DNA sequence: CCGAGGAGTTACAACTTATAACGAAAGCGA
DNA sequence: TCGCTTTCGTTATAAGTTGTAACTCCTCGG
């Protein structure tokens, strides 16, 4: 099944290469620095060629955001039987692996831009896992999960943004302290 | 004293107008959407004229960031004799008044870009106020203040980014719950 | 084997930031 | 008041961006 023509296979491969280069660029220059021309050059082709694969710069970015949410959800799902603290550490590891990827999902939003609808469902999967981890900790696990998430995001995003540098405190210590506050 | 020549006065006024238009643009399109040409047009002049006032787009943005930090510090300083909870609410009000201004200070960082050095001192003033508010709450008020700040930032930034919309929870309730967690 | 469609190319339009060179106006000293 | 100098805003231009249009060429499928 899944009869893939050679054209299709080539197409999906080139799309993957484009996205790979895009991630490299984002890691270096952030999302605003993403340039279709630069990607095309790196792949040995001219700018307009990329429009065969993505109808606009925004569509490429949207796909990257979708993939970021997917990677996040997958990382959380891949965590085995862990408690809330373990889950929190998985989240932190995923964020530290590529800070700009984290910011693409939970960073500064562009006022006009709307994240694709299915990312909400993907983010909800992560939240469900959090809720499950909060199940035995007391009443109202949903609320507990949301508050856990806001605390983790708070300490994580400030660390990733570099707001702790030169403050003489260990971010991982701070993170662990917040993790302890959850149970 | 403070002998201000007419030229100087005119210059500072135009600079202020440029920054005002820049803030309007940022509120609408975010920091990446800031366009010198668009600002110039709105002020009835051509693009290159702005370079008399700011040597580059980055310098304008840097000044806006500096002003954002200053406004933040001033808002906190203007709060009278308030406890930690009151301070937290002042922070939230300041953030809600202009979300993009908040994100300009504590949002996604551009990898290459470094915020001006004096913003660290300004941010420290806010932190000092927080530490003072944490003085009577127990040992290690510095650590308490940092953790308070990460929690407030966590719940606030997710609210401002719209991650609570459609989640059937009241952001202000959530914020107040976190505020209660601080004492 | 040959036609259709897709991939990549160049050319172009409309934008952006930024620099250079010029004109005009305003301020300041004599 | 006169004139010099500084500064402001202009146009022209360079080099970059996204995105469209038209054309070529190659490859795949019948």
């Amino acid at each position: 099944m899944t009869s893939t023509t050679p054209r299709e296979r080539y197409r999906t491969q080139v799309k993957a290469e484009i996205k790979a280069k895009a991630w490299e660029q984002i890691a270096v220059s952030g999302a605003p620095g993403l340039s279709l021309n630069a990607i095309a050059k790196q792949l040995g082709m001219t700018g307009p060629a990329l429009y065969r694969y993505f109808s606009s710069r925004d569509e490429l970015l949207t796909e990257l955001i979708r993939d970021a949410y997917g990677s996040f959800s997958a990382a959380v799902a891949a965590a085995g039987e862990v408690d809330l603290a373990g889950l929190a550490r998985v989240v932190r590891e995923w964020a530290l692996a590529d800070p700009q990827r984290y910011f693409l999902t939970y960073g500064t939003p562009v006022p006009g831009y709307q994240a694709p609808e299915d990312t909400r469902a993907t983010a909800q999967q992560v939240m469900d896992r959090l809720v499950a981890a909060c199940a035995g900790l007391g009443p109202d696990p949903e609320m507990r999960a949301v508050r856990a998430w806001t605390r983790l995001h708070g300490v994580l995003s400030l660390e990733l943004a570099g707001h702790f540098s030169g403050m003489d405190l260990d971010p991982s210590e701070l993170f662990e302290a917040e993790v302890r506050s959850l149970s």
Side-chain angles (χ1 to χ4, degrees), chain A:
Chain A
M1 287 305 225
T2 71
S3 68
T4 61
T5 67
R7 281 246 163 94
E8 267 182 76
R9 254 175 304 167
Y10 178 75
R11 187 176 175 78
T12 59
Q13 195 214 336
V14 173
K15 267 187 103 160
E17 285 174 20
I18 293 172
K19 289 207 262 186
K21 293 292 179 190
W23 279 118
E24 287 178 24
Q25 269 198 10
I26 286 178
V28 172
S29 320
L34 184 66
S35 161
L36 293 185
N37 263 358
I39 293 174
K41 244 174 233 168
Q42 283 186 1
L43 294 180
M45 43 186 182
T46 60
L50 294 200
Y51 287 83
R52 294 274 172 197
Y53 301 92
F54 299 95
S55 70
S56 73
R57 181 184 178 280
D58 255 29
E59 189 180 294
L60 170 57
L61 239 169
T62 296
E63 195 121 333
L64 294 177
I65 291 174
R66 204 194 312 273
D67 288 356
Y69 273 100
S71 161
F72 185 35
S73 173
V76 166
E81 294 264 337
V82 291
D83 59 352
L84 185 55
L87 213 54
R89 291 184 197 108
V90 167
V91 169
R92 180 162 182 261
E93 287 308 310
W94 181 83
L96 286 175
D98 190 342
Q100 287 296 321
R101 182 180 57 181
Y102 182 85
F103 285 127
L104 219 50
T105 59
Y106 293 105
T108 305
V110 175
Y113 180 79
Q114 274 290 329
E117 192 53 40
D118 48 337
T119 60
R120 299 180 71 92
T122 313
Q124 189 57 47
Q125 290 175 10
V126 176
M127 194 50 87
D128 290 344
R129 188 79 155 81
L130 262 178
V131 171
C134 291
L137 296 178
D140 204 350
E142 286 86 6
M143 189 62 169
R144 260 190 126 81
V146 169
R147 292 182 63 186
W149 173 234
T150 65
R151 290 193 191 175
L152 296 180
H153 168 73
V155 64
L156 241 186
S157 67
L158 287 177
E159 173 186 3
L160 295 178
H163 285 285
F164 296 153
S165 71
M167 254 179 121
D168 190 35
L169 48 80
D170 184 358
S172 70
E173 282 279 343
L174 196 55
F175 185 83
E176 287 299 325
E178 282 303 276
V179 166
R180 278 191 297 274
S181 82
L182 301 180
S183 46

